[in-house]
Amino acid sequence: MQPQEFWREIPQRYRLEASKCLKCGAVFFPPRRRCAACGHEKFALTRLPREGKVTTFSVIRQGGGDMIRISPYAVCLVELEGGVKIAAQLVDVEPEAIKTGMPVRLEFRKIRETGDAGVICYGYKAVPA
Amino acid sequence: MKNVKVGIVGYGSYIPRNRIKVEEIAKVWGADAPSYRRGLMLQEKSVPSWDQDTATMSVEAARRALQRCKVSPQDIGAVYVGSESHPYAVKPTGTIVAEAIGAVPHCHTADLEFACKAGSEGMFIASQQVRAGSFPYALAIGADTSQGAPGDALEYSAAAGAAAFILGRDQILAELLETHAYMTDTPDFWRREHMFYPKHGGRFTGEEAYFRHLLTCSREIMEKSGRKPKDFAYAVFHQPNGKFPYRAGEMLGFEKEQIDTGCLVPKLGNTYSGASPLGLSAVLDAAKPGDIILMVSYGSGAGSDGFIWKATSLLSKVQGLAPKTWDQINKDPRYLDYGSYAKHRGKIRMNEGD
């Protein structure tokens, strides 16, 4: 990954910055330029809450590339308080203990390293609340 | 300037969930686990997951510090991160933390290194900056994910954790009454550039290093403030193992009960730059208004920073607003075997590209 690719997404990855439509109030993450609900093009910046619950999940047992280090690992869809859904890795829990509806919160974690000498990408992951 | 009140207005801690017991490490190296339990009073230590480092733990600790106060991140004028395990050799950890909590862009940031006292260095600088009026608030963090070489005595204690403190002049939870710094050039522990593991001077790390600096700093700061050990509700000393802080306390005239709350190392391990700051966070979780707290760090190389804090009536209102330190230590630990520990800590050499 080139550093500028990662850098562009820092507001979303670090601070969960989303866009809220000034006309209909719909919230989009990642932010959009045009409201998918009403077509309006003016938005306010908002930050998503970090607490939510797992709505669905999948356990990957044959991780590819550097994911072999953490296999098996889980990815999930989290419905945050307020209703926005967000995809994230689910960590700090054994795969067999994951359940739909379990409360989670989003923590700041390392997402990946581009080799031993490359940039370190940080972002959010879900952990049991 | 010294008559300007400054103190801690928010604090937070973060401890990874993973643990490894000393018996599991000793089993691999054919060592005598009971001697580590008895001699160094070590039972287990925290282990960071592969996706946790000084930056991630610092961010989480800082967010918890913000939960305990009404400070806007945009009013934090300085972010100082003390660690000997910054993720990058060249690129600051502080910018990552400042960006994640929303303190950028009008913010002064610095990464600090001084072995195990880098965290208290940040607290020292942040408090003086706030006292001088340079910033309304300053954030100081001590965090580490340090490693001991496989089989070395340090492997039994080198742990991970972070503590964050927001220093300010209003809404103070613990007022800073006195500071003192004591240091000399003493090569008791070091890590050279490009080296993965640190080296140490064995028993030289004791009398001439830890005890000389920590005891002298403690005596000087108590004399400066006109206080004696009996005047303190709590004492927090740097804790490379369980034996040293209790022995130092005894030599200074403190009772075991004054040290217990802030001595995390038997269950947590040595969190290096996070050690005495995390000890202070545990004490702040329990302190009552008016309690006087002595905190003295120690960093190899070598030096000690001393602080005397006084808990205010506001403290009890915020103690429950974020996870408490002892609760994090005791709640739902996940015990690793040595193989998983080695994987999480990057001790296993992989093929290029994996």
Side-chain angles (χ1 to χ4, degrees):
Chain A
M1 177 180 272
Q2 293 297 311
Q4 58 270 37
E5 292 175 50
F6 162 69
W7 172 78
R8 284 189 199 103
E9 296 175 350
I10 280 178
Q12 289 83 54
R13 290 183 181 273
Y14 285 23
R15 299 189 296 271
L16 295 176
E17 287 188 2
S19 57
K20 183 174 184 178
C21 177
L22 287 175
K23 188 177 177 189
C24 73
V27 177
F28 298 98
F29 183 87
R32 294 176 61 104
R33 289 172 182 264
R34 183 178 171 84
C35 179
C38 72
H40 197 62
E41 294 183 351
K42 288 192 175 163
F43 294 88
L45 181 74
T46 186
R47 286 191 191 164
L48 300 179
R50 297 192 166 272
E51 294 74 32
K53 60 184 180 187
V54 172
T55 58
T56 187
F57 66 94
S58 181
V59 177
I60 290 92
R61 298 187 183 277
Q62 300 285 330
D66 55 5
M67 300 304 275
I68 192 174
R69 294 168 187 263
I70 57 163
S71 297
Y73 64 95
V75 290
C76 70
L77 203 57
V78 179
E79 184 175 329
L80 298 172
E81 290 172 4
V84 172
K85 289 182 179 169
I86 192 166
Q89 199 178 318
L90 178 53
V91 296
D92 278 8
V93 60
E94 305 305 328
E96 51 273 22
I98 301 171
K99 289 183 171 52
T100 300
M102 70 185 281
V104 293
R105 62 188 167 83
L106 300 179
E107 262 194 18
F108 194 73
R109 295 288 179 110
K110 194 160 56 179
I111 303 299
R112 68 177 307 175
E113 296 175 343
T114 44
D116 288 339
V119 70
I120 303 170
C121 304
Y122 294 96
Y124 51 84
K125 290 184 182 177
V127 300
Chain B
M1 268 297 166
K2 205 171 175 192
N3 56 358
V4 175
K5 273 191 182 184
V6 299
I8 294 165
V9 302
Y11 72 96
S13 63
Y14 183 87
I15 293 166
R17 189 183 158 206
N18 293 334
R19 303 280 188 279
I20 188 166
K21 289 183 179 287
V22 294
E23 285 79 5
E24 182 64 23
I25 300 172
K27 187 172 70 180
V28 171
W29 301 111
D32 182 33
S35 72
Y36 283 97
R37 276 194 178 256
R38 281 196 311 270
L40 296 177
M41 293 170 62
L42 296 170
Q43 301 169 30
E44 58 194 59
K45 66 171 190 173
S46 64
V47 179
S49 294
W50 76 275
D51 59 357
Q52 292 176 305
D53 62 18
T54 288
T56 67
M57 297 191 306
S58 296
V59 168
E60 288 300 321
R63 284 176 175 162
R64 290 172 178 183
L66 285 163
Q67 283 176 31
R68 285 194 170 101
C69 61
K70 294 187 173 76
V71 172
S72 163
Q74 284 288 298
D75 288 333
I76 295 176
V79 174
Y80 301 124
V81 183
S83 179
E84 61 173 68
S85 51
H86 291 289
Y88 288 95
V90 178
K91 192 205 166 302
T93 306
T95 55
I96 300 168
V97 176
E99 187 83 55
I101 64 169
V104 289
H106 303 291
C107 183
H108 181 248
T109 303
D111 286 5
L112 304 168
E113 281 192 34
F114 193 144
C116 294
K117 88 167 188 73
S120 67
E121 276 187 319
M123 298 168 71
F124 205 98
I125 296 168
S127 61
Q128 305 306 335
Q129 294 270 31
V130 169
R131 194 190 295 278
S134 302
F135 311 112
Y137 302 101
L139 170 64
I141 300 170
D144 254 313
T145 57
S146 290
Q147 299 238 34
D152 188 272
L154 289 179
E155 191 182 24
Y156 294 84
S157 61
F165 300 89
I166 300 170
L167 283 301
R169 291 161 68 152
D170 54 8
Q171 301 292 302
I172 291 171
L173 309 177
E175 185 189 346
L176 180 57
L177 301 181
E178 193 61 82
T179 59
H180 188 74
Y182 177 85
M183 58 205 60
T184 68
D185 186 8
T186 305
D188 59 323
F189 170 100
W190 62 92
R191 180 166 61 83
R192 295 279 302 274
E193 188 84 294
H194 307 304
M195 293 293 107
F196 194 64
Y197 297 116
K199 292 181 78 74
H200 56 85
R203 291 188 179 275
F204 182 56
T205 59
E207 295 303 328
E208 290 300 328
Y210 176 90
F211 288 102
R212 178 161 67 106
H213 294 82
L214 187 134
L215 295 178
T216 309
C217 186
S218 301
R219 287 174 182 136
E220 287 291 325
I221 194 171
M222 285 194 284
E223 188 174 325
K224 272 168 85 172
S225 74
R227 289 182 172 85
K228 299 189 180 314
K230 66 176 173 50
D231 298 324
F232 295 88
Y234 301 97
V236 180
F237 300 120
H238 176 56
Q239 37 204 274
N241 53 59
K243 182 179 166 187
F244 277 24
Y246 282 107
R247 187 170 159 214
E250 191 181 350
M251 292 166 86
L252 289 165
F254 286 91
E255 301 294 327
K256 179 177 177 298
E257 292 70 28
Q258 292 167 287
I259 298 167
D260 282 342
T261 305
C263 188
L264 319 177
V265 63
K267 293 275 284 181
L268 177 63
N270 177 8
T271 50
Y272 286 62
S273 301
S276 50
L278 272 165
L280 177 63
S281 74
V283 162
L284 292 176
D285 285 339
K288 294 182 174 54
D291 282 349
I292 309 283
I293 303 157
L294 173 67
M295 170 192 174
V296 184
S297 65
Y298 172 73
S300 291
S304 285
D305 294 327
F307 304 82
I308 295 176
W309 309 94
K310 183 178 182 182
T312 73
S313 57
L314 289 178
L315 181 61
S316 56
K317 295 182 172 66
V318 305
Q319 285 167 330
L321 297 182
K324 293 184 177 181
T325 300
W326 269 112
D327 290 346
Q328 293 177 69
I329 293 171
N330 292 325
K331 186 190 165 197
D332 200 20
R334 183 166 63 173
Y335 290 100
L336 304 179
D337 58 27
Y338 194 88
S340 301
Y341 159 76
K343 189 171 76 166
H344 278 294
R345 298 302 283 127
K347 291 174 187 280
I348 299 173
R349 181 169 293 200
M350 308 288 285
N351 253 340
E352 289 292 321
D354 284 342

